[in-house]
Amino acid sequence: MKIIVLGSGAGGGCPQWNCNCAVCASARNGSRMIRPRTQSSIAVSPDGKRWVLLNASPDIGQQLRVQPILHPKQGLRDTPIKAVVLMDAQVDHATGLLSLREGPPIELYVTPCVFEDLTTGLPILTVLEHYCGVHWHLLPVAGEQRICEFTIEGFETLRFRAVAIPGKAPPFSPHRHDSKVGDNIALEVTDLRSGKRLFYSPGLAEVGPNEMEWMRGADCLLVDGTFWSEDEMVKAGLGQKYAADMGHLPQQSTPERRGMMDALDETGAARKVLIHINNSNPILDDYGPERTELANRGIEVAYDGMEIAL
Ligand code: MLT
Ligand code: MN
Ligand code: ZN
């Protein structure tokens, strides 16, 4: 299985258009080694020819333009992207669907909660009916059902498993403050030929026993790297929200909760990679002390264009 990181940043990317925080400013003026990042999305493929998009970021136009492997290959209109799976209905993960409107109907795999949010609070799917249209493939993660296994036509050598995870619905969702099973999923993708597993979870509020079991089963983890610390946004004067308010688990532990670094230490994955990194996060500095700490623990930081072979 091949994996391409199309976008490794959180909402806003880095530098964010209106942000002068220490990281964004350094990214602009070049005083520190901080790479620009677009908003989070990855693509997976069994053969490098047919690809499934996991999340569709508003930066998708740019992301596809710079990725020759995802360019049209034959005929007048063509795309190697055959299906899209969304982890949630967040703006940074879903609005890229609008930029796919010139293509064939979108083969879209989402939970009922995400379908509902994308036909009400943010009615992207309704809008798309006036363009390419959408074929909705229901991922039955809702109510009592927390896991669903599925295949995607044309991708028979890959097995997909969606699992409900702790997180938050987007701010425009009617259940923002009343989380439902299916608001947020993580995706496990197994290459049935090699048996290798990817676990993708760009928005993860907590690593409890269930999440830990999934993470322990993976060869490659691409998980929530949004914030270094719980109060990062507040301390930098960028907002009033804490990581927990936004449904993200920071890398650092606090006495109240174990952070992502300590959780990753308990997994045996060959690749432990942080993705969906907010522009306030000091790990974006390639030579900063936070990066040294991650490196010492065998944790990588995703960057746009990163390729992983599993
Ligand atoms: C989040 O995951 O909390 C987002 O990146 C917020 C956003 O899209 O603005
Ligand atoms: Mn986000
Ligand atoms: Zn910033």
Side-chain angles (χ1 to χ4, degrees), residues 9-12 16 39 88 90-93 171 176 202-203 224 226-227 246-248 276 278:
Q16 180 175 307
Q39 297 168 82
D88 54 48
Q90 293 273 5
V91 170
D92 57 340
H93 288 162
R176 167 74 167 179
D224 193 329
T226 314
F227 298 118
M246 299 173 74
H248 298 295
H276 186 276
N278 198 54

Side-chain angles (χ1 to χ4, degrees), residues 134-304:
V134 174
H135 293 161
W136 179 32
H137 302 262
L138 167 75
L139 298 182
V141 176
E144 302 282 287
Q145 193 166 334
R146 305 188 59 90
I147 300 170
C148 107
E149 184 170 320
F150 62 103
T151 49
I152 296 179
E153 201 190 315
F155 294 85
E156 282 72 21
T157 59
L158 299 181
R159 181 191 70 183
F160 295 84
R161 292 204 288 177
V163 54
I165 48 154
K168 278 219 184 291
F172 53 81
S173 169
H175 30 96
R176 167 74 167 179
H177 302 292
D178 169 26
S179 290
K180 298 250 182 298
V181 170
D183 279 336
N184 300 84
I185 58 164
L187 200 67
E188 181 196 73
V189 188
T190 304
D191 187 321
L192 296 172
R193 297 162 305 180
S194 65
K196 293 276 198 274
R197 292 183 194 191
L198 161 71
F199 183 79
Y200 177 57
S201 185
L204 184 57
E206 203 68 68
V207 179
N210 287 335
E211 292 71 43
M212 184 51 83
E213 208 178 312
W214 285 86
M215 286 167 66
R216 284 213 175 108
D219 300 282
C220 174
L221 296 165
L222 270 168
V223 293
D224 193 329
T226 314
F227 298 118
W228 174 253
S229 56
E230 184 65 48
D231 59 356
E232 183 173 312
M233 296 284 281
V234 180
K235 254 177 48 199
L238 297 170
Q240 272 85 55
K241 289 182 186 162
Y242 290 81
D245 299 329
M246 299 173 74
H248 298 295
L249 180 68
Q251 280 99 64
Q252 276 190 325
S253 295
T254 58
E256 293 78 44
R257 58 179 196 151
R258 182 181 60 169
M260 188 62 89
M261 285 191 291
D262 286 341
L264 287 173
D265 281 349
E266 286 179 32
T267 69
R271 306 286 299 266
K272 306 174 185 183
V273 186
L274 297 172
I275 195 167
H276 186 276
I277 303 145
N278 198 54
N279 58 69
S280 54
N281 191 331
I283 66 170
L284 289 177
D285 183 342
D286 282 355
Y287 299 112
E290 295 81 4
R291 273 297 263 282
T292 309
E293 180 163 2
L294 291 178
N296 289 340
R297 292 164 174 248
I299 302 170
E300 304 171 67
V301 177
Y303 52 88
D304 292 18

